[in-house]
Amino acid sequence: MASENTRKWAIIPEPNSMTVGEGTVLLPYAERVNESIAIGDGDFLLAHQLVADIRSATGTDWDIATGDMWSGFIRLRIADSWDFDSQDGGTAGAYTLTINTDGITITGCDFEGVRNGVQTLRQLIRQNGAVLPVLQIEDAPAYRIRGYYLDATRGRVPTLAWLKQWADKLCLYKYNQLQLYIEHTFAFDGMSETWRGSSPLTPADTLEFDQYCANLGIELVPSVSTFGHQYVAMRTQELRELGEFSEDADRPFSFIERMRHHTLNVADDRAFAFSAQLVDSYLQLFRSKRFNICADETFDLGKGKSKQEAQRVGVAALYATYVGKLCEHLSKQGREPMFWGDIAIEMPEILETLPNNVTLLNWQYDPEATDEKIQLVAKAGAKQIVCPAVWGWNALLPRIDDAWNNIARIARYGIDCGAEGMLVTDWGDFGHVNDPRMAVPGMIFGAQYAWNPAEDTAENDLLERISRVEYGDCSARFVALLRSASAQAVFTWRELVEYLELDDGAGNCNTDVAQTIPCLADRLVDHLSDCGNALTLREARNRMMRNMATTIERIPQANRALQQCMVDIAPIAAHMGNPGITAAVRIAMEGQLLLNRVGFALAEAHDVRDAHDAGDWRPSDYRALARELECWCEAYAKEWNATSQPSELHRIQETVWKAADELRRISK
């Protein structure tokens, strides 16, 4: 019997109970999958999934049948009774899988259980081909809800074809819920000024995708911003009067300001009518009874037009009243409201006002997060779903270590506090420069820990398993190399955007942007009191780059390490047979090399260097670097089109071009 450390295959999520026996089982070259009609899989999708993987791995074609008159080497069935309990005391999603010389049997307590067992078998077939290990598995998930949250609004709108591919991948790793984040990127009737030019998703897209997900056993939950994060809508001619600061509607577009401003003025009755219209039209396109109204990061609440009302009743009461009204509106229609918990946790008195059928989405993205906020919600008696992140935002390469630490911790805390599920988030702040394919390792971390948070798995072991199962990498090094590459990101997309957006468009310092940069926030007040003048753009950029001096000095060494990662990963990727991910990784690594060099050049321009030892500092050829950036951007745009509609690609390009122009300016 091969030990876990010596066998060349893996299962993700790792089963709760697995016994691997002696010997192997050879799949016949021509056989059948018999799927019981009692499973409720109307199109026999599960059987077709197995047949497709057998064909791909072995080149042979299998038949499909149902009913006890037909034999089948692989048998899928529903249990007559069930005595194997999942970790939360229920049985939803539980299954057994038996592989021996008599054949293969998957038994589930329900459709989801059979589906989960089929995904385990598919992973084994993909890695082992026609020769499978003898084994017995009894397995069930810890969390009833295992969801994924994909940003489809902050710059990147996925194509429907890619969304289906992503749903297939979520199914393979046993997720059972998916939400798409929408602010302005949906073609709502009467709101063309809001969604124009964004390649919006349509009702037809949603109906088709909802059905596709349902067939896979994935609940597609509607999610739309109804309170904060109304940046695009509140900049339109038709809707700007509903915002807290309508006077700011004509300011130049800013990635940073989009993340922080444009909250609805909920003291205005028209705001509720606007949100209710979004909710009512959107929910009709989904079969799910759940609805996520978001309501997070309402930074401007009580500071603009609603200031007088907030002073009268309090900001917490203003927030709670509005969210409660939306939740009640949904409840009357038989829906179960959800919303992000950041504001309610900051103002715990809000927790006491929540209706019983509301679920709080408790997000925490700190890799070193504690269980304090999850405990707070649990003690208040509110229903919650815990929400870690894949850590891909604002970067070309995913921060794999941060994702692993964040997801593993939050999963454990949630189980300990009785959370109903885990929702792994994938955000696209600052234009969604992160290719969604870069999120796969983080997504699989979520699959593992939503299934079994208690498993004491070392990060390196899990990276090896992901390399084998997801990427078909026999060396098991692919994801570890991707992690090593991401560790060399010194000057990232975030720093580039911050540097450029410090310019308000007129050559002055944008104080709203400066206030989001820690090294500048305090200095703004001090400078004004010391000098009586606002911080200039040159002073702000000088201070930002000098604050990065220690990290900037690491760039030459980081780029050498990143280039070595590219050399090491190339032959591995060549044998994986996945040109899509190969291209995505190459473009991301090349882009990070360039970003590091841009940071290095800007540091030179601001005279940031060690006065005693120049070390690896070398003068930059600014114009040549500008040209390289522009050429890279064209290659990046082609890869964008592999997963996404045009949407806001132009904003990414304009940022890169602005950086190139800045390099040419400082070269004079």
Side-chain angles (χ1 to χ4, degrees), residues 44-99:
F44 298 98
L45 174 69
L46 300 177
H48 282 291
Q49 284 182 329
L50 287 169
V51 167
D53 278 329
I54 291 170
R55 182 184 301 113
S56 178
T58 72
T60 59
D61 289 312
W62 279 39
D63 192 15
I64 293 172
T66 189
D68 56 12
M69 297 297 292
W70 297 93
S71 63
F73 191 81
I74 299 177
R75 300 171 290 276
L76 313 180
R77 67 185 189 90
I78 293 284
D80 296 328
S81 61
W82 197 264
D83 58 9
F84 173 60
D85 289 341
S86 62
Q87 294 180 29
D88 63 0
T91 58
Y95 72 94
T96 63
L97 167 63
T98 302
I99 302 176

Side-chain angles (χ1 to χ4, degrees), residues 387-647:
C387 308
V390 299
W391 275 84
W393 62 86
N394 294 342
L396 292 171
L397 293 165
R399 285 150 288 188
I400 289 175
D401 285 343
D402 288 337
W404 181 78
N405 279 304
N406 182 216
I407 291 169
R409 284 172 180 266
I410 296 300
R412 290 194 296 270
Y413 300 155
I415 283 295
D416 292 342
C417 294
E420 295 195 342
M422 186 164 82
L423 183 68
V424 180
T425 63
D426 183 356
W427 296 103
D429 306 4
F430 293 14
H432 210 145
V433 71
N434 41 310
D435 189 308
R437 292 169 291 189
M438 295 291 100
V440 169
M443 178 272 285
I444 298 177
F445 291 163
Q448 174 60 56
Y449 290 106
W451 192 270
N452 187 358
E455 187 193 14
D456 187 18
T457 301
E459 181 184 5
N460 287 338
D461 291 341
L462 189 49
L463 297 186
E464 290 181 2
R465 285 160 51 193
I466 295 171
S467 294
R468 292 185 186 280
V469 177
E470 170 61 23
Y471 297 107
D473 169 25
C474 295
S475 75
R477 296 178 61 218
F478 181 79
V479 184
L481 286 168
L482 185 60
R483 177 185 63 179
S484 297
S486 69
Q488 312 312 319
V490 178
F491 192 80
T492 68
W493 180 254
R494 180 188 186 95
E495 280 85 36
L496 179 64
V497 170
E498 288 174 340
Y499 182 91
L500 295 174
E501 290 197 358
L502 278 170
D503 186 342
D504 67 357
N508 303 311
C509 177
N510 185 327
T511 55
D512 279 350
V513 169
Q515 286 170 359
T516 70
I517 303 173
C519 69
L520 297 180
D522 294 337
R523 184 59 181 158
L524 287 171
V525 178
D526 295 341
H527 190 86
L528 189 60
S529 62
D530 292 344
C531 307
N533 299 314
L535 197 64
T536 68
L537 175 60
R538 178 69 184 181
E539 289 166 337
R541 285 178 167 174
N542 271 340
R543 188 171 182 84
M544 175 186 170
M545 296 309 299
R546 289 182 183 280
N547 188 67
M548 294 188 66
T550 302
T551 54
I552 290 288
E553 289 175 3
R554 193 170 68 84
I555 284 176
Q557 177 185 357
N559 271 12
R560 286 194 294 272
L562 183 49
Q563 288 170 326
Q564 187 59 52
C565 286
M566 294 169 64
V567 169
D568 292 342
I569 210 168
I572 294 172
H575 287 89
M576 293 190 325
N578 188 339
I581 191 62
T582 300
V585 168
R586 178 63 186 274
I587 292 298
M589 289 185 176
E590 291 282 4
Q592 188 54 58
L593 281 170
L594 288 169
L595 282 176
N596 282 349
R597 289 172 59 197
V598 169
F600 196 80
L602 293 176
E604 285 182 335
H606 287 274
D607 219 16
V608 177
R609 63 181 68 197
D610 189 328
H612 301 290
D613 181 12
D616 279 314
W617 290 94
R618 297 289 183 273
S620 296
D621 185 339
Y622 300 119
R623 293 184 179 185
L625 180 55
R627 292 192 292 270
E628 287 184 63
L629 270 177
E630 289 158 344
C631 291
W632 172 84
C633 194
E634 292 303 303
Y636 174 87
K638 291 178 182 178
E639 280 310 304
W640 176 287
N641 295 331
T643 63
S644 309
Q645 300 184 61
S647 35

Side-chain angles (χ1 to χ4, degrees), residues 183-185 191-196 198 232-233 236 239 274:
E183 289 175 10
H184 65 285
T185 52
M191 291 184 61
S192 56
E193 189 188 3
T194 300
W195 49 254
R196 66 188 185 188
S198 69
V232 176
T236 64
L239 296 171
F274 166 72

Side-chain angles (χ1 to χ4, degrees), residues 272-446:
F272 180 78
F274 166 72
S275 295
Q277 180 183 356
L278 293 179
V279 167
D280 293 347
S281 56
Y282 204 43
L283 65 80
Q284 293 181 353
L285 305 175
F286 296 80
R287 68 192 66 203
S288 173
K289 293 299 182 184
R290 297 182 175 91
F291 196 108
N292 181 3
I293 61 171
C294 295
D296 58 317
E297 297 187 327
T298 52
F299 298 120
D300 294 332
L301 182 63
K303 297 178 180 178
K305 291 181 179 179
S306 70
K307 184 175 183 178
Q308 186 175 352
E309 181 66 9
Q311 289 174 337
R312 187 180 72 84
V313 302
V315 173
L318 191 60
Y319 179 91
T321 299
Y322 191 75
V323 169
K325 192 175 178 182
L326 277 175
C327 290
E328 182 182 6
H329 182 74
L330 278 163
S331 297
K332 287 179 178 178
Q333 300 180 71
R335 306 289 168 149
E336 301 173 17
M338 308 170 121
F339 67 93
W340 299 109
D342 53 310
I343 305 300
I345 290 169
E346 287 177 12
M347 306 175 188
E349 60 267 36
I350 294 173
L351 294 173
E352 301 172 5
T353 70
L354 296 180
N356 292 332
N357 69 331
V358 172
T359 300
L360 205 70
L361 301 174
N362 195 347
W363 62 270
Q364 292 184 77
Y365 303 150
D366 185 351
E368 304 299 324
T370 68
D371 65 350
E372 181 180 359
K373 293 181 178 180
I374 299 173
Q375 288 274 14
L376 177 67
V377 176
K379 289 176 181 177
K383 294 195 297 184
Q384 66 176 319
I385 290 175
V386 293
C387 308
V390 299
W391 275 84
W393 62 86
N394 294 342
L396 292 171
L397 293 165
R399 285 150 288 188
I400 289 175
D401 285 343
D402 288 337
W404 181 78
N405 279 304
N406 182 216
I407 291 169
R409 284 172 180 266
I410 296 300
R412 290 194 296 270
Y413 300 155
I415 283 295
D416 292 342
C417 294
E420 295 195 342
M422 186 164 82
L423 183 68
V424 180
T425 63
D426 183 356
W427 296 103
D429 306 4
F430 293 14
H432 210 145
V433 71
N434 41 310
D435 189 308
R437 292 169 291 189
M438 295 291 100
V440 169
M443 178 272 285
I444 298 177
F445 291 163

